[in-house]
Amino acid sequence: MDAVAGLLDGPRARGAFLLRSLLAPPWSMRIEDEAPLTLVPVVHGTAWIGMDAGPGPDEPRLDAHLVAGDVALLRGPRHYTVADAPGTPPQMVSDAVGACRAVGDQPSPLVDLGVRTWETTPTVRPSC
């Protein structure tokens, strides 16, 4: 068995959670779901992922810039932020029970459209 087959076979995708996001800058989502494995495909545009440092005091924060066609594979349970640019403060947090909440006292600019879809404005649509 090769490494990729072992990776995909091991988790068996039980309890999978899917989320579709149609976002216009500025946007940022803090993910604290502690999932053992996460795939983040970028279909249109770009995104930055900042993964928290590991448990060791000398482990660096891991940042990656993704462009359309890239797929990030994240191994949990570390928390991470997905944003339009480095330093954009999180506007919502997704926690370990799948609940999403706005950050601070302001309402989140992210709108829940149902069926696992989030959007910054109803007018944002990818061109296909």
Side-chain angles (χ1 to χ4, degrees), residues 35-95:
L37 185 66
T38 301
L39 294 172
V40 180
V42 177
V43 178
H44 295 281
T46 65
W48 281 86
I49 294 183
M51 181 168 274
D52 292 355
D58 297 327
E59 290 190 50
R61 177 178 167 85
L62 305 171
D63 294 304
H65 183 235
L66 305 174
V67 298
D70 287 345
V71 177
L73 178 64
L74 308 174
R75 189 179 73 179
R78 294 182 191 173
H79 300 169
Y80 59 95
T81 300
V82 183
D84 66 316
T88 301
Q91 299 158 328
M92 60 82 68
V93 176
S94 177
D95 64 21

Side-chain angles (χ1 to χ4, degrees), residues 17 19 92-95 98-102 118:
F17 176 77
L19 179 65
M92 60 82 68
V93 176
S94 177
D95 64 21
C100 295
R101 66 184 187 285
W118 286 86

